[in-house]
Amino acid sequence: MAQVQVRDVPRTTEVAGPAPQPPTQQVPARPATAPGAAPTFRAVLRHRSCGRLLTASVTGRLALGIVPVALILQAQADGHSLATAGLLAALYGVCPALGLPLLGRLADRRGLPLPCHLGAVLVAAALSALAFAGTRSLPFTAVCVVLAGAGCPPLEGGLRSLYPAVLPDAAHVRTAYTLDSSTQQIVYVAGPALAVATSTYLTPAAALALAAAATLSGSLVFATARPARTWRPLARRSDSLGVLRPPALRLLLFALVFLGGTVGALDVAGIAVAGRQNAPWLAGALPAMFSAAGLLGGVLFARIQSATAPQPRHLLVLAALFAAGWLPLLAPLPAPAVLALAVLPGALFVPLLTVASLTVTALAPPGTSTEAVGWMSSAIRLGVAGGTALAGPLGGHFTLPLAAAALCALLLCAPAPAEAAPAAA
């Protein structure tokens, strides 16, 4: 991976319709960005449709944070054990890893509206069926859970494919990636909170219905935006491996599995530490603090990052710092100290994810950007599921997220063939 050069994000897509905006929109007219500094989040959101696309994308992905909690509460309300409820939630967590690359490939071949509408209808139908019928029949529930997970619309990949079409240069695109990685944390903070609040004041079925409505409305607003309607993928060669052909990209995706493993292991570690220290509040506060720190880290990273493309060493340094950030958590500490120390790896997670996203996009063959982001999401989701599955039998210690982060950093240090580097400029 040391040979991979993260150059300016390639324009793997083009927009059909009018030519680029007339010169009356002189973005650099305001001295909002100093020479050599990256554009701000505000500078990105000023551009046409960016606010709508980002808001719709986050809304459409809220179900990823709502459904696991709502599903567990619904299953328990229907008389199932916590173990069965947890398995249903785990099944939902894994299934997007199967569907996102397929829907992303469809988007790269046929455009964004079709896979977004198709996925949204599938998710809304499956979640609505669960909301009305409940989870008493496990085979029926499992089918609905698989469809709701595998049908997740490719909103994240679609958004990142649109950024080069709606933003003026690669510097704005890189800031937009940081903004998107930061706002992802909202899904995993607001989603569970909405699920608990709706289930408490209404019912778990209402939380599932809310997730269906969020997916349907967010996807509809996203897919009907003019950039999404007019975006056309570039022609691509027929290839059995497709986006996975570059060896460096396969190596990076493998490393991202371990990055996801740190997040999956963290949730279980929080529950284990909360039990050992008789601090039940820590079970929910620890992942929430990690996500909130990620949001803050993304904001800070956007301010300090250079306006030029990140270099390979940046990815390696961030991965090494992220791994080192878990070391203090190995010490026997009181619950408040554990919560405070989780800020360091949490704040580094979004910058690392941003640079990894830029690298994935740069390595992806032309015309495969949406599918590439789908594979990236799949790798992280598989890692989250694996980390959760392994953390329980291993006692929920912080050794597992540390080991997963270290393996991620080591894989990023592994050499990749020079020909795998993208010819982007």
Side-chain angles (χ1 to χ4, degrees):
M1 184 60 66
Q3 291 88 347
V4 175
Q5 177 77 25
V6 186
R7 300 179 177 87
D8 286 351
V9 178
R11 287 183 177 269
T12 58
T13 61
E14 59 183 9
V15 179
Q21 295 185 1
T24 53
Q25 281 194 352
Q26 297 179 0
V27 177
R30 301 179 192 176
T33 304
T40 63
F41 287 171
R42 182 177 298 177
V44 169
L45 293 174
R46 274 206 307 264
H47 288 275
R48 59 187 180 97
S49 301
C50 277
R52 170 178 174 169
L53 291 169
L54 180 63
T55 303
S57 175
V58 171
T59 302
R61 286 181 273 169
L62 270 178
L64 295 171
I66 295 174
V67 172
V69 176
L71 197 56
I72 290 174
L73 296 174
Q74 181 65 56
Q76 288 184 304
D78 289 335
H80 296 296
S81 67
L82 180 59
T84 301
L87 286 175
L88 290 173
L91 180 63
Y92 173 80
V94 170
C95 285
L98 306 175
L100 283 173
L102 297 177
L103 289 173
R105 176 171 291 196
L106 181 61
D108 286 330
R109 292 179 182 275
R110 300 289 301 276
L112 287 168
L114 176 61
C116 287
H117 291 321
L118 178 63
V121 169
L122 191 61
V123 170
L127 292 178
S128 298
L130 284 175
F132 282 107
T135 61
R136 290 179 180 83
S137 171
L138 285 179
F140 172 80
T141 300
V143 170
C144 289
V145 167
V146 169
L147 292 176
C152 285
L155 298 175
E156 180 183 358
L159 180 63
R160 296 187 181 189
S161 293
L162 289 176
Y163 278 142
V166 299
L167 293 172
D169 53 44
H172 281 79
V173 172
R174 286 190 291 273
T175 298
Y177 270 53
T178 307
L179 175 61
D180 186 47
S181 297
S182 301
T183 53
Q184 279 189 57
Q185 306 308 308
I186 297 174
V187 173
Y188 298 104
V189 174
L194 283 172
V196 171
T198 306
S199 300
T200 300
Y201 292 104
L202 296 174
T203 62
L208 292 171
L210 175 63
T215 301
L216 200 58
S217 60
S219 301
L220 181 64
V221 172
F222 181 89
T224 54
R226 186 177 180 278
R229 287 186 287 106
T230 58
W231 179 83
R232 295 294 181 269
L234 293 178
R236 50 185 284 187
R237 292 187 307 170
S238 179
D239 189 342
S240 57
L241 284 177
V243 71
L244 298 178
R245 175 156 298 281
L249 180 55
R250 297 199 299 268
L251 183 63
L252 175 56
L253 291 174
F254 191 35
L256 291 177
V257 172
F258 290 100
L259 179 63
T262 63
V263 179
L266 173 69
D267 293 340
V268 181
I271 296 172
V273 174
R276 287 195 294 267
Q277 301 199 16
N278 194 25
W281 56 270
L282 186 63
L286 188 60
M289 177 63 78
F290 185 88
S291 296
L295 183 59
L296 177 61
V299 173
L300 295 176
F301 183 68
R303 287 182 174 273
I304 66 174
Q305 68 178 329
S306 169
T308 58
Q311 301 298 311
R313 65 178 181 274
H314 297 149
L315 185 61
L316 302 180
V317 168
L318 284 170
L321 291 173
F322 180 69
W326 294 97
L327 285 170
L329 290 165
L330 297 180
L333 299 166
V338 171
L339 189 65
L341 288 174
V343 170
L344 180 57
L348 290 165
F349 180 76
V350 166
L352 176 56
L353 188 62
T354 299
V355 179
S357 300
L358 289 166
T359 309
V360 166
T361 305
L363 287 169
T368 63
S369 56
T370 313
E371 182 185 352
V373 176
W375 279 110
M376 177 179 171
S377 299
S378 298
I380 294 174
R381 286 191 161 277
L382 289 174
V384 171
T388 303
L390 289 173
L394 294 177
H397 294 285
F398 285 105
T399 307
L400 184 58
L402 169 61
L407 286 171
C408 175
L410 287 173
L411 284 170
L412 292 176
C413 293
E419 65 270 19

